[in-house]
Amino acid sequence: DSHIQYERVGADVTMKCGSMDWDAAVTWTANGTDIDESRLNGSYLILKNVDLSQSGQYSCYEGSSWHLKYQTYLRVGTPPKEPVLMCRSNNYPKGFYCSWHLPTPTYIPNSFNISVIHGTKDMVCEKDAVPKNRCHIRYLQLFSTVKYKVTLTVTNALGKNFTTLTFDEFAIVKPDPPESVVAKPVPNNPRRLEVSWQNPSSWPDPESFPLKFFLRYRPLILDQWQHVELSDGTSHTITDAYAGKEYIIQVAAKDNDIGTWSDWSVAVHATPWTEEPKHLTTEAQITETTSASTSSFMAPPTTKICDKGAVVGSGAVAVCWTAGLVVAAYSVLFI
Amino acid sequence: MAAADSPSTALRRRDLCSRGIRLAGKMRADVVDLLDAYVEQQGLDASASVAAVEGVPLAAVEHWDEQTGTQRLLENLAAYRAFRALLAQMLEEQREQLGEADAGLGRALAAVLLQVSAFAYHLEELLRLESRGIPGEEGDGQPPLPRLSLFEQKLRGLGVLRELAQWAVRSVRDLRQLTKPSLATSAAPALAESP
């Protein structure tokens, strides 16, 4: 009959050929390949100091009849190390979630059991389908000074380990980063950038539990960030940007009263509005130079060479200048 | 109840709530500072668990989101009246223990006591606005707070300040609920369930 056998890395393993006597003539195979007799002690298979590569199916056949007498699946692995556990409330005041992982793989199946105690009360942490190593709890009480104690135990065939986290309701509150961060230049304002964002969608009730925000920005060419803390609203105008320089901007969020700051949002880039050099865009000049030639080139009078609106990517300004140079080159040709 | 609000009542409520929110926010910041000073001065372990002490109003509440505005105001008022008495006793015990040895802590306690009294008054004003009778203070009928050993006094003080800090946060949330235009004191909102 076939079964699974778990052994620690580095262990010495002795496999018996079922009920066969020690002196019976047998052949052992590993994953279908015959094993050399030197590894046998009578009919026993001896594997010394096993490593991960020796995991596989081991079969024992009676010598003359080649009847399968024994089969086992050897899984080499390790007992679990202390798991890493994290608990966080990104949807306060609804509840919190805990997630965990092992610092190193065990190479064999593990099962996790989580217990949550609030004072003397046991609470059930409902496991999420996705991701697997995560569970969530609804707050039954708010504003409690009694701490929560979460114990995670991980068990496999070779051992078990556990870790415990103790925290109070406020300490684990950490929103997700703000969403939909947009940065735009302000027309005719070479030192301004308008930034707007939205509350994270996971925060259930921003009206009753308002968030405050932290904005950081710097020109790409510098390492030092400027910071602005904003106690309300989801927009801000930067008024001290360096003219013509591309900026990187991020926003973080925090509950107004408790908990910690979110991670930084996805970074957005923007460059303040710059005035077009006059000789590249004067309509009269383009008309004058083209009328003296036989070429049919004519720049449409109302079409802008490039659009400076919306989020300006790092390539957009370069495109504008390139287009301008092309127009200048054509103008020179036709004079 | 919502339909009966006159514009001036609504304005006054909003004004009282805004000021109350600022007062509670300041109070919480001062209580947190006081808590640090108290723990250090009394030689306590900041992480020590303190069992619920009789007479200290617990901020913990179930179904918070389902409370009516009136319930919020009444529970807040009862709590801050209790804290007023507890802080007054702590101040007296502090003076007995140390005399003038730690005037700083005594002054900080007195300042918080003042803010607690002010907030209680604020809550009474809000209740008057709701045409609710202000519950009478039970101070006269209540048995005096038990005399505790010195160590028990210190632990109770820790419990009082911790619960007060929680209450200050809760009060900010409660007053924000009151300022929501969809809510009147008798309407009970339910937080939308997330998918």
Side-chain angles (χ1 to χ4, degrees):
Chain A
D1 52 26
S2 174
H3 71 300
I4 301 176
Q5 182 173 349
Y6 295 98
E7 301 288 346
R8 286 190 188 217
V9 169
D12 295 338
V13 180
T14 300
M15 288 188 195
K16 290 186 183 176
C17 187
S19 55
M20 299 290 281
D21 293 334
W22 176 80
D23 57 357
V26 299
T27 303
W28 281 92
T29 64
N31 297 324
T33 304
D34 286 7
I35 296 175
D36 191 79
E37 277 182 12
S38 60
R39 301 285 206 107
L40 305 185
N41 176 356
S43 64
Y44 299 172
L45 173 63
I46 311 293
L47 300 173
K48 285 196 175 292
N49 191 21
V50 291
D51 61 40
L52 295 171
S53 67
Q54 288 172 286
S55 293
Q57 190 171 65
Y58 289 81
S59 308
C60 176
Y61 299 90
E62 190 180 12
S64 51
S65 66
W66 276 93
H67 282 151
L68 178 66
K69 287 298 185 182
Y70 178 76
Q71 195 168 64
T72 187
Y73 201 96
L74 177 67
R75 302 273 314 251
V76 180
T78 60
K81 288 203 160 72
E82 184 178 333
V84 177
L85 174 65
M86 177 273 281
C87 296
R88 180 177 156 223
S89 175
N90 65 340
N91 62 344
Y92 191 80
K94 283 210 155 141
F96 64 92
Y97 72 87
C98 295
S99 70
W100 56 87
H101 66 272
L102 288 172
T104 54
T106 61
Y107 304 100
I108 60 175
N110 307 295
S111 67
F112 296 90
N113 183 52
I114 191 158
S115 80
V116 181
I117 300 172
H118 184 220
T120 54
K121 198 170 182 174
D122 277 320
M123 300 177 77
V124 174
C125 196
E126 291 179 33
K127 289 213 174 159
D128 291 341
V130 171
K132 245 178 20 168
N133 289 358
R134 185 158 141 163
C135 68
H136 62 272
I137 278 202
R138 283 195 156 274
Y139 279 126
L140 298 177
Q141 275 186 346
L142 290 180
F143 313 112
S144 173
T145 49
V146 175
K147 289 187 190 290
Y148 291 83
K149 183 173 165 180
V150 180
T151 302
L152 174 74
T153 306
V154 57
T155 308
N156 69 20
L158 300 175
K160 68 199 292 188
N161 214 323
F162 75 97
T163 189
T164 299
L165 263 189
T166 305
F167 53 84
D168 61 53
E169 179 189 317
F170 292 173
I172 61 165
V173 175
K174 177 179 172 179
D176 288 329
E179 295 173 6
S180 307
V181 182
V182 172
K184 289 197 261 193
V186 178
N188 304 304
N189 275 282
R191 302 204 64 191
R192 290 188 176 218
L193 287 168
E194 247 171 33
V195 189
S196 65
W197 58 89
Q198 287 177 4
N199 289 313
S201 49
S202 51
W203 196 252
D205 189 6
E207 210 182 318
S208 304
F209 296 83
L211 295 172
K212 60 182 176 184
F213 301 97
F214 213 75
L215 190 134
R216 70 175 185 180
Y217 58 97
R218 65 173 172 86
L220 284 185
I221 55 172
L222 295 179
D223 289 332
Q224 191 143 24
W225 293 96
Q226 299 282 97
H227 292 100
V228 180
E229 186 167 330
L230 302 151
S231 56
D232 56 22
T234 53
S235 64
H236 176 72
T237 302
I238 295 166
T239 56
D240 61 350
Y242 291 115
K245 299 296 179 224
E246 185 180 347
Y247 271 75
I248 178 169
I249 298 146
Q250 289 178 293
V251 192
K254 181 184 167 301
D255 176 87
N256 216 46
D257 305 301
I258 61 174
T260 57
W261 287 98
S262 71
D263 292 340
W264 290 107
S265 69
V266 167
V268 294
H269 293 241
T271 306
W273 174 92
T274 48
E275 191 174 356
E276 290 280 3
K278 286 208 170 89
H279 71 277
L280 289 177
T281 56
T282 304
E283 183 184 315
Q285 196 167 17
I286 290 168
T287 311
E288 184 190 347
T289 53
T290 53
S291 66
S293 75
T294 55
S295 163
S296 60
F297 173 80
M298 175 81 77
T302 55
T303 303
K304 279 191 183 173
I305 290 165
C306 57
D307 184 359
K308 283 189 190 287
V311 178
V312 179
S314 53
V317 171
V319 169
C320 286
W321 279 107
T322 306
L325 284 172
V326 167
V327 173
Y330 269 108
S331 302
V332 167
L333 275 177
F334 293 130
I335 289 170
Chain B
M1 183 72 186
D5 264 359
S6 70
S8 62
T9 306
L11 253 165
R12 174 89 178 123
R13 182 192 297 117
R14 208 168 60 228
D15 180 54
L16 279 169
C17 285
S18 302
R19 284 195 277 137
I21 287 168
R22 281 196 295 278
L23 183 50
K26 170 80 170 75
M27 183 166 52
R28 187 209 176 193
D30 289 352
V31 170
V32 167
D33 289 343
L34 174 56
L35 199 45
D36 290 341
Y38 187 86
V39 160
E40 196 186 315
Q41 199 264 335
Q42 302 287 25
L44 295 167
D45 176 1
S47 62
S49 287
V50 179
V53 178
E54 197 181 326
V56 178
L58 296 180
V61 59
E62 294 185 10
H63 310 295
W64 172 85
D65 53 322
E66 294 169 18
Q67 286 196 327
T68 66
T70 305
Q71 272 175 303
R72 295 178 196 281
L73 288 172
L74 289 172
E75 287 189 20
N76 271 266
L77 182 58
Y80 285 94
R81 281 176 170 173
F83 280 121
R84 200 164 52 194
L86 287 162
L87 287 170
Q89 175 148 13
M90 277 173 71
L91 204 49
E92 196 185 304
E93 287 165 358
Q94 188 75 7
R95 286 177 187 144
E96 281 174 15
Q97 278 169 43
L98 301 159
E100 293 306 309
D102 196 335
L105 191 61
R107 273 198 299 273
L109 262 170
V112 166
L113 174 53
L114 200 59
Q115 289 178 69
V116 164
S117 300
F119 195 70
Y121 175 74
H122 228 79
L123 294 165
E124 287 169 0
E125 284 296 298
L126 275 162
L127 275 164
R128 277 191 198 98
L129 210 58
E130 310 310 327
S131 308
R132 304 290 305 205
I134 314 291
E137 291 217 44
E138 295 166 17
D140 293 337
Q142 206 159 35
L145 292 162
R147 291 296 294 183
L148 304 174
S149 71
L150 183 60
F151 184 63
E152 285 169 330
Q153 283 175 19
K154 290 181 181 185
L155 283 188
R156 187 180 65 196
L158 183 60
V160 167
L161 293 177
R162 275 188 185 157
E163 284 301 331
L164 181 55
Q166 298 293 99
W167 264 105
V169 175
R170 177 176 162 182
S171 300
V172 168
R173 314 292 198 188
D174 281 327
L175 291 180
R176 279 207 196 102
Q177 290 294 95
L178 287 174
T179 58
K180 278 176 152 177
S182 56
L183 290 181
T185 51
S186 53
L191 275 177
E193 292 295 321
S194 67

